[in-house]
Amino acid sequence: MALVVQKYGGTSMGSVERIRNVAKRVAKTYDAGNDMVVVVSAMAGETNKLVALANEVCEFPDNREYDVLVAAGEQVSIALLAMCLKAMGYKAKSYLGFQVPILTDTSYSKARIESIDDKKMRADLKEGTILIVAGFQGVDEFGSVTTLGRGGSDTSAVALAAALKADVCEIFTDVDGVYTTDPNICKDAKKIERISYEEMLELASLGAKVLQIRSVEFASKYNVDVHVRSSFNENLGTMVTKEDKEMEAVLVSGIAYAKDEVKIAVMQVPDKPGIAAQILSPLSDANISVDMIVQNVSEAGSTDFTFTVPQADFKKALSITKETAEAIHAKEVLSDENVTKVSIVGLGMRSHAGVATTMFQALAKEGINIQMISTSEIKISVVVDAKYTELAVRVLHDAFGLAGK
């Protein structure tokens, strides 16, 4: 008998009919002799509705109450799926995050899981009960509801699989697996059968929407094999697992893009030690993640300092940065919401020269100007004008021969 953790996203849970289909798939896996833990997201569109309500009430909603609100969608999902399974004759039980409990830190809307107490769940599993757990949420040491950020149900599933030492963690979504790039942009994008934790971590952090970055971090840390597959067919998907020599032979595995970043530039900053920390520390204190950073060469004792932040944090980040700019006597703060980050990822980049040249030449040939550049051992990211997003992705997909894989 195996212990299987399955996760179903908002699209898979998007209607009563789809919830019935999920129940049938869960029942089929259970009937094959497996213990079952099922993690579900809110029904498609429900979280967006709750976020819109919060923003309608006030411009900057209280962080604690915001999490109480947006966590409500999953409560509906777990109850409906548990009802459905019970109506089919199966023992099923729903769990909210605090009922498990899944203990997190106090970083509302971006909480990190610190521990999971699995005693109650194990007792229920011994009784043959199918457990339905609300994804995306937990509880802090003060008993307050916390949420893990968009896509957090993936993290919930992988964390539970690690805590319970599950035999497999299956992430069911509306796509067949991880592709070389977005199939909606490149019709010849190919499904990747196996991909390393490290490559998936980069792709997830760079805009690939298949898995949330923290779920991949958990999978890598606890060696949880994650099978990403479609909830609408029986096809095998993509296995996210430890790297091997076969993976290292592939120069570039995928192209990712992120439209949800904003560029902020602090102009004519005094060029002196500690100025970068003065600009970025207030953002860190506000729990705002800064991604790409560029500081220009000093001229006449001043420089320009440019960075990107998530679109969701733009208003707050801009307000904080303007206050900082005034305090350090910078000339002005500029911002640009019409940018996209485009990235290439591959383990083979460690041992092959000329990858950056190929990337930059391919973009230049199409007249696409590069505004910012960031690199790591297995990825290269550039910021370009948003209007060139699809063209940049297609050009790079062709330049690295991904269509033929």
Side-chain angles (χ1 to χ4, degrees):
M1 180 181 288
L3 173 56
V4 178
V5 173
Q6 293 183 340
K7 177 262 176 178
Y8 294 90
T11 305
S12 303
M13 299 287 292
S15 66
V16 170
E17 188 55 40
R18 288 186 174 180
I19 291 173
R20 288 196 181 106
N21 288 335
V22 168
K24 290 174 185 175
R25 188 182 282 268
V26 170
K28 182 178 178 181
T29 307
Y30 178 83
D31 289 340
N34 300 299
D35 287 332
M36 293 289 299
V37 176
V38 184
V39 177
V40 297
S41 301
M43 296 172 73
E46 289 304 306
T47 302
N48 287 341
K49 290 178 184 176
L50 296 172
V51 170
L53 284 173
N55 291 330
E56 193 175 333
V57 168
C58 56
E59 186 176 7
F60 297 111
D62 177 82
N63 291 333
R64 181 187 182 279
E65 305 313 326
Y66 180 90
D67 275 15
V68 172
L69 175 67
V70 298
E74 280 70 21
Q75 183 165 346
V76 174
S77 296
I78 59 172
L80 291 174
L81 182 56
M83 288 176 188
C84 195
L85 284 163
K86 287 181 177 181
M88 293 165 62
Y90 294 88
K91 288 179 67 176
K93 181 179 179 180
S94 64
Y95 274 90
L96 290 165
F98 79 89
Q99 292 173 315
V100 172
I102 298 173
L103 185 66
T104 75
D105 62 16
T106 56
S107 300
Y108 297 115
S109 300
K110 301 174 184 176
R112 288 185 174 274
I113 295 174
E114 295 183 339
S115 64
I116 295 176
D117 186 343
D118 60 1
K119 293 188 187 69
K120 288 188 287 186
M121 296 182 71
R122 288 192 182 278
D124 284 333
L125 287 169
K126 280 185 180 179
E127 296 296 320
T129 306
I130 299 172
L131 307 185
I132 317 298
V133 182
F136 175 63
Q137 60 179 248
V139 62
D140 68 15
E141 61 180 313
F142 305 107
S144 298
V145 173
T146 58
T147 62
L148 311 181
R150 281 306 178 100
S153 294
D154 292 344
T155 303
S156 302
V158 176
L160 284 167
L164 294 165
K165 295 181 172 54
D167 296 278
V168 64
C169 180
E170 297 181 315
I171 305 291
F172 286 93
T173 180
D174 55 354
V175 294
D176 281 337
V178 181
Y179 279 73
T180 49
T181 195
D182 185 349
N184 295 316
I185 289 181
C186 286
K187 300 301 179 187
D188 54 2
K190 300 295 182 183
K191 183 170 67 179
I192 302 169
E193 291 184 5
R194 296 172 73 251
I195 190 168
S196 70
Y197 294 128
E198 193 173 359
E199 288 173 303
M200 193 65 242
L201 197 58
E202 290 284 10
L203 287 171
S205 69
L206 297 169
K209 299 291 193 290
V210 181
L211 285 174
Q212 192 207 42
I213 182 171
R214 289 185 196 168
S215 70
V216 187
E217 289 174 347
F218 256 101
S220 177
K221 183 176 180 179
Y222 296 103
N223 285 321
V224 176
D225 285 344
V226 179
H227 189 188
V228 182
R229 54 193 305 197
S230 173
S231 61
F232 301 116
N233 59 51
E234 297 294 332
N235 299 338
L236 293 177
T238 298
M239 185 64 74
V240 184
T241 185
K242 287 183 281 190
E243 69 177 78
D244 56 33
K245 290 183 179 179
E246 189 177 320
M247 294 177 186
E248 291 175 359
V250 179
L251 183 61
V252 173
S253 299
I255 315 291
Y257 67 93
K259 291 182 175 181
D260 57 352
E261 296 210 7
V262 179
K263 186 172 71 171
I264 296 176
V266 188
M267 310 303 291
Q268 295 187 25
V269 176
D271 190 15
K272 59 183 181 182
I275 203 70
Q278 280 186 263
I279 295 172
L280 299 179
S281 292
L283 297 171
S284 175
D285 293 341
N287 203 22
I288 296 173
S289 298
V290 173
D291 185 11
M292 301 174 74
I293 303 171
V294 171
Q295 183 170 327
N296 292 353
V297 176
S298 177
E299 185 176 327
S302 66
T303 184
D304 298 336
F305 190 88
T306 307
F307 57 91
T308 60
V309 297
Q311 176 75 51
D313 293 324
F314 173 50
K315 285 184 182 178
K316 189 184 290 186
L318 186 61
S319 175
I320 290 170
T321 304
K322 284 182 176 179
E323 287 181 17
T324 303
E326 187 175 342
I328 63 175
H329 306 295
K331 181 183 179 182
E332 61 182 334
V333 177
L334 304 177
S335 61
D336 187 356
E337 297 181 69
N338 296 309
V339 295
T340 298
K341 180 173 65 176
V342 181
S343 312
I344 61 173
V345 173
L347 289 178
M349 292 168 61
R350 289 174 178 161
S351 54
H352 291 77
V355 178
T357 301
T358 301
M359 181 182 192
F360 300 157
Q361 286 178 343
L363 295 173
K365 188 177 178 181
E366 297 296 331
I368 301 173
N369 185 48
I370 296 172
Q371 300 178 21
M372 301 174 76
I373 302 171
S374 174
T375 66
S376 76
E377 193 177 26
I378 67 166
K379 67 95 175 171
I380 302 172
S381 296
V382 297
V383 169
V384 301
D385 194 302
K387 67 182 179 182
Y388 294 120
T389 303
E390 295 190 8
L391 177 60
V393 170
R394 291 194 193 102
V395 163
L396 294 175
H397 197 259
D398 289 342
F400 290 100
L402 295 178
K405 294 181 180 179

